[in-house]
Amino acid sequence: MSVSIGQHVPDFSAPATGDTQITLSDYRGRQVVIYFYPKDSTPGCTTEGGDFRDHKADFEAANTVILGVSRDGLRAHENFKAKQGFNFELISDKDEALCQLFDVIKLKKLYGKEHLGIERSTFLIDTDGKLAREWRKVKVKGHVEEVLDAARELNAAS
């Protein structure tokens, strides 16, 4: 059962960097951007994370928290976060519970071989915990600016 636009996102708790446990309901009253990316320390994921990092103050001004998610473990996440200077937490979703909730595990092709992996996707949750926007099959260039515009619009409307 995956979540749809306009629906409440079921509350979840997941381990994250900074020795934290992220619980969605802790962010009620704030907007939340959850972005799913395939793998720590790969070129596209590094660029996307860097774009979110560089716009964090803008997202905060729009009352929006940023959370990154992949299936990598916490040690890989901590290294990736430290090396790139990310100023937001990364959630480890080894059991794919969040990936399934947001339906981001897709059949992908790499060098002619098929495998299941995370399809780069971003979700914007409103202050009441409802899914407001989603972006699937994300292309990194210009994406963060598009999400920021949506976060600003949603914040201005609330």
Side-chain angles (χ1 to χ4, degrees), residues 100-158:
Q100 288 172 6
L101 177 64
F102 288 94
D103 190 29
V104 298
I105 300 286
K106 303 292 180 190
L107 194 59
K108 298 167 81 174
K109 273 194 170 141
L110 187 65
Y111 307 119
K113 288 194 167 73
E114 290 187 337
H115 68 285
L116 287 174
I118 291 180
E119 179 181 82
R120 192 179 307 278
S121 308
T122 303
F123 301 88
L124 176 60
I125 300 169
D126 72 13
T127 54
D128 295 325
K130 287 183 185 163
L131 184 60
R133 290 281 307 270
E134 65 180 17
W135 293 264
R136 295 183 179 273
K137 294 183 183 170
V138 166
K139 300 284 179 254
V140 173
K141 189 169 172 49
H143 174 64
V144 169
E145 290 81 359
E146 192 180 325
V147 175
L148 178 59
D149 287 344
R152 284 175 170 150
E153 275 175 37
L154 187 61
N155 188 50
S158 61

Side-chain angles (χ1 to χ4, degrees), residues 45-125:
C45 300
T46 300
T47 300
E48 184 179 26
D51 288 349
F52 275 113
R53 174 197 63 216
D54 296 346
H55 287 84
K56 183 171 189 261
D58 299 321
F59 278 100
E60 284 180 347
N63 190 34
T64 306
V65 176
I66 302 164
L67 299 170
V69 182
S70 82
R71 299 182 299 181
D72 293 297
L74 286 173
R75 180 175 292 142
H77 273 358
E78 292 290 2
N79 292 339
F80 186 39
K81 181 182 170 188
K83 187 173 179 190
Q84 301 304 327
F86 291 161
N87 46 12
F88 53 86
E89 303 306 336
L90 300 176
I91 295 173
S92 174
D93 192 32
K94 276 181 146 349
D95 65 0
E96 298 181 1
L98 287 179
C99 289
Q100 288 172 6
L101 177 64
F102 288 94
D103 190 29
V104 298
I105 300 286
K106 303 292 180 190
L107 194 59
K108 298 167 81 174
K109 273 194 170 141
L110 187 65
Y111 307 119
K113 288 194 167 73
E114 290 187 337
H115 68 285
L116 287 174
I118 291 180
E119 179 181 82
R120 192 179 307 278
S121 308
T122 303
F123 301 88
L124 176 60
I125 300 169

Side-chain angles (χ1 to χ4, degrees), residues 22-37:
I22 298 288
T23 302
L24 183 61
S25 58
D26 290 348
Y27 296 104
R28 284 285 144 73
R30 298 190 71 191
Q31 297 174 167
V32 180
V33 164
I34 299 179
Y35 80 94
F36 289 83
Y37 63 95

